[in-house]
Amino acid sequence: MIRVGMGYDVHKLEPGLPLILGGITVEHHSGLKGHSDADVVTHALMDALLGAAGLGDIGIHFPDTDPEYAGISSLLLLESVMHKLKSRAYAVNNIDITIACERPKLAPYIPDMRRVLAEKLEIAISEINIKATTTEKLGFTGREEGIATYAVVTLQKNS
């Protein structure tokens, strides 16, 4: 059985904060504001994984009202999501992620994002595709007010 999930996340850019995307630090004058490390890439991915498994979303599992998750690395949350999937006999089949932002340019960082996420998910790097796009200066991402990420995954149920 193959299941499909879609995830979306957005966070506001704020000067002086670290910019964490796909589990790596990206050099930029602004970072994303959030309860955890605000890694929109990993958050969208987790929502897609949870959705494919019919397990709700990250807000249910890691509420932003819980002080336990304040400042936490999203990679630790991703590990928890993977434990939930494995306990239900799901395996990641394919991941496709799109990051929408004007700046910084992300192409140089994508190979490291793919490597880090593949390691955390315990899958081949070839099963993860990440791409970055601008919105041609339109909307909040175009005005460099925030970054948005979309993720689509397929899971396979093992017997």
Side-chain angles (χ1 to χ4, degrees), residues 79-141:
E79 287 178 1
S80 177
V81 168
M82 286 308 296
H83 289 304
K84 294 173 192 309
L85 297 181
K86 286 180 181 179
S87 73
R88 290 166 176 80
Y90 286 111
V92 176
N93 191 38
N94 187 61
I95 297 170
D96 189 34
I97 296 171
T98 302
I99 308 165
C101 70
E102 290 298 315
R103 273 183 260 175
K105 296 300 181 192
L106 297 177
Y109 298 97
I110 288 174
D112 284 338
M113 288 183 210
R114 290 177 69 213
R115 180 186 49 76
V116 167
L117 293 174
E119 286 174 6
K120 288 294 175 187
L121 296 169
E122 298 178 8
I123 61 173
I125 197 166
S126 61
E127 295 174 1
I128 300 178
N129 186 59
I130 300 176
K131 43 201 185 295
T133 188
T134 70
T135 56
E136 301 297 327
K137 303 201 183 294
L138 298 173
F140 73 91
T141 57

Side-chain angles (χ1 to χ4, degrees), residues 25 41-42 50 53-54 70 73-74 79 87-88 91 112 116 119 152 156:
T25 301
V41 173
T42 304
L50 290 166
S73 167
S74 294
E79 287 178 1
S87 73
R88 290 166 176 80
D112 284 338
V116 167
E119 286 174 6
V152 177
Q156 184 168 332

Side-chain angles (χ1 to χ4, degrees), residues 19-85:
L19 179 56
I20 311 294
L21 296 172
I24 67 164
T25 301
V26 173
E27 289 188 38
H28 194 53
H29 59 79
S30 296
L32 296 169
K33 183 178 180 178
H35 185 65
S36 65
D37 62 5
D39 180 345
V40 293
V41 173
T42 304
H43 290 188
L45 173 58
M46 288 187 291
D47 267 347
L49 291 165
L50 290 166
L55 296 174
D57 61 30
I58 61 173
I60 292 169
H61 297 273
F62 315 109
D64 63 6
T65 54
D66 190 333
E68 177 183 353
Y69 305 117
I72 195 168
S73 167
S74 294
L75 293 178
L76 292 175
L77 302 179
L78 181 60
E79 287 178 1
S80 177
V81 168
M82 286 308 296
H83 289 304
K84 294 173 192 309
L85 297 181

